[in-house]
Amino acid sequence: MPYSSNLLDNDIIKIIKKLNPKVVYDIGAGAGKYGSMVRDHIGKVVKTVAIEIDPEYIKRFELKKIYTKILCISAADLINSSFYDNDFGLVIIGDCIEHLKKSEGIDLLNFLIYRSSWIMIQYPIKYLQNTFDGKSQEAHISVWGNVDFASFDIVKKVTIGNQELVLIKGYLI
């Protein structure tokens, strides 16, 4: 689904306000929830970039009104030479990492850790989701937990219900 759980929204807003990033990448933008949070709580001076694989979502949710820039690519496509010199600032992976193959998700995190100040990941615990509206990219295909983030510098971890939030310090700090 192009929507994220709201269980951790208050924690996410507090983190966004505290970090006060200049650049935010929203991986798996969906309906634009995190872009709207950044805009509403920090302002429009922040550069916001949506990474959204589905062109229909970009149009339906009018993501061009929410984000400074939109890239219609998969999250795994970020790992190529055209992004090697990027400063990703804060990366939000909200209810998205479980849609990637585990190997792609791990590769993505390793790529981002070198190019980001912060990586915020929200993911479900034991939440079954198959295709949605005929879209195979909406299916959950990997399970995430503490062991997957053990090699990173975790600054904050919050669990509420079936949702977890992990804030990782990137190497640009």
Side-chain angles (χ1 to χ4, degrees):
M1 294 184 285
Y3 307 101
S4 294
S5 169
N6 63 358
L7 289 175
L8 295 164
D9 285 1
N10 290 333
D11 293 283
I12 292 167
I13 290 168
K14 286 177 190 173
I15 291 169
I16 289 170
K17 285 180 173 181
K18 183 175 181 177
L19 296 178
N20 195 27
K22 302 294 179 241
V23 178
V24 177
Y25 277 72
D26 181 2
I27 296 180
K33 171 183 171 176
Y34 300 106
S36 295
M37 281 182 173
V38 169
R39 183 190 62 215
D40 294 346
H41 296 283
I42 297 178
K44 294 184 180 184
V45 296
V46 176
K47 177 183 175 186
T48 53
V49 181
I51 308 297
E52 177 52 57
I53 194 171
D54 192 327
E56 192 262 324
Y57 287 172
I58 293 169
K59 185 176 179 182
R60 178 173 18 149
F61 298 111
E62 299 180 321
L63 297 184
K64 290 180 181 178
K65 292 182 180 178
I66 300 171
Y67 296 91
T68 310
K69 184 176 182 179
I70 298 173
L71 300 174
C72 187
I73 60 175
S74 76
D77 289 339
L78 283 172
I79 306 172
N80 72 55
S81 61
S82 61
F83 294 101
Y84 284 179
D85 295 325
N86 276 35
D87 175 344
F88 288 89
L90 168 63
V91 176
I92 301 173
I93 306 173
D95 276 325
C96 176
I97 203 160
E98 68 278 4
H99 299 274
L100 301 173
K101 293 177 185 174
K102 186 64 152 255
S103 58
E104 290 176 337
I106 290 170
D107 287 347
L108 179 63
L109 289 176
N110 281 292
F111 174 80
L112 291 170
I113 201 74
Y114 286 102
R115 294 160 182 86
S116 305
S117 298
W118 302 97
I119 303 169
M120 184 167 35
I121 307 159
Q122 179 180 339
Y123 58 93
I125 305 165
K126 297 181 182 178
Y127 185 83
L128 175 65
Q129 182 173 301
N130 293 317
T131 61
F132 176 78
D133 248 1
K135 297 178 185 295
S136 60
Q137 72 267 19
E138 293 292 354
H140 292 181
I141 60 173
S142 61
V143 176
W144 293 83
N146 294 337
V147 68
D148 300 306
F149 308 110
S151 63
F152 301 107
D153 187 0
I154 297 174
V155 175
K156 185 174 182 93
K157 182 175 177 234
V158 181
T159 304
I160 299 177
N162 68 346
Q163 293 289 310
E164 273 194 352
L165 174 70
V166 177
L167 180 64
I168 297 170
K169 186 190 298 186
Y171 292 173
L172 293 184
I173 284 292

